[in-house]
Amino acid sequence: MVESVIKNWQGEQVGETTFDLPVAKETTAVHIVHRALVRQMTNSRQGTASTKTRAEVRGGGRKPWRQKGTGRARAGSIRSPLWRGGGVIFGPKPRDFNLKMNRKERRLALRTAFISRAQDLIIVEEFSNELERPKTKELVSALARWGAAPEQKTLLILSEIAENVLLSARNVENLKLIAADQLNVYDLLHADKIVVTPSTLAKIQEVYNG
């Protein structure tokens, strides 16, 4: 059970809330979160790097010079890996880096990572109505009042992303905005501060609560 205060748009404490999510055992928590993080970062690799072997490089079908009698080293092709413009030895080829992880394990890792950041969690009232029009400066000021300094990496999680909030947040250097149903381990661990609303907590509990 995690207890936390709720702040309003001005940064004042206006209430308290509690929430709870089933997490991994203490002995296995680090391992499962690490597995989920490695999976996410590995699966983000495109795997499209490719080089040509000596068989794929254009040209090189004719023997450059005769085998014996020239005084030079033997050569059978100008596309040998030893030659400039030749093929590449053991170079990268397109491959699939995807790692598999069971859905229950992925969700357990997400819940464990989220609860582990409880000390850096900031809960604020719904504030989309406070932004009558897109205004980055007002959102940055509000984040500072809530305790998320501009130089800190901040993750803003909302159950529903209003257009004014999206337009206000998209140009802030250290701010990342995601929906509650798009949680991922990397963003949760990478952020210095995590800002959520009560409806976001309810959504997270609904979607990820086992």
Side-chain angles (χ1 to χ4, degrees), residues 16-197:
E16 295 183 354
T17 186
T18 60
F19 62 94
D20 191 22
L21 290 170
V23 298
K25 297 179 182 178
E26 187 175 351
T27 54
T28 60
V30 174
H31 174 66
I32 194 167
V33 171
H34 178 261
R35 279 184 56 209
L37 178 62
V38 170
R39 172 188 172 273
Q40 180 182 342
M41 298 186 70
T42 302
N43 290 0
S44 66
R45 298 183 65 175
Q46 291 181 323
T48 55
S50 182
T51 54
K52 291 184 178 181
T53 65
R54 63 181 296 166
E56 297 167 322
V57 180
R58 181 180 176 88
R62 178 176 63 85
K63 188 173 175 67
W65 52 75
R66 59 182 180 166
Q67 181 79 351
K68 301 174 70 67
T70 63
R72 289 177 289 190
R74 294 172 292 186
S77 171
I78 63 171
R79 296 309 183 210
S80 164
L82 305 179
W83 285 52
R84 178 179 175 273
V88 178
I89 307 173
F90 303 132
K93 285 291 184 182
R95 55 174 293 194
D96 183 10
F97 287 97
N98 282 358
L99 294 176
K100 293 183 178 180
M101 190 175 184
N102 294 336
R103 177 188 289 184
K104 287 185 177 180
E105 289 183 306
R106 295 200 306 266
R107 292 195 171 187
L108 179 60
L110 276 173
R111 296 195 299 266
T112 304
F114 185 78
I115 293 296
S116 72
R117 301 306 310 277
Q119 297 297 325
D120 301 308
L121 195 64
I122 301 172
I123 304 176
V124 299
E125 290 182 325
E126 301 292 340
F127 59 89
S128 57
N129 294 333
E130 300 290 344
L131 295 170
E132 297 179 358
R133 58 190 178 89
K135 196 67 177 178
T136 300
K137 187 176 181 179
E138 292 182 10
L139 182 58
V140 172
S141 299
L143 289 170
R145 293 194 296 269
W146 295 335
E151 63 274 8
Q152 291 181 310
K153 295 184 289 291
T154 303
L155 179 64
L156 178 57
I157 311 173
L158 299 177
S159 56
E160 294 182 3
I161 301 177
E163 184 177 5
N164 284 348
V165 177
L166 174 63
L167 296 176
S168 300
R170 66 180 180 178
N171 201 34
V172 181
E173 182 179 4
N174 290 323
L175 176 65
K176 183 168 184 179
L177 173 63
I178 63 172
D181 56 359
Q182 295 176 350
L183 285 186
N184 62 86
V185 173
Y186 178 83
D187 285 337
L188 289 174
L189 298 180
H190 184 66
D192 295 318
K193 296 291 183 180
I194 301 174
V195 180
V196 300
T197 62

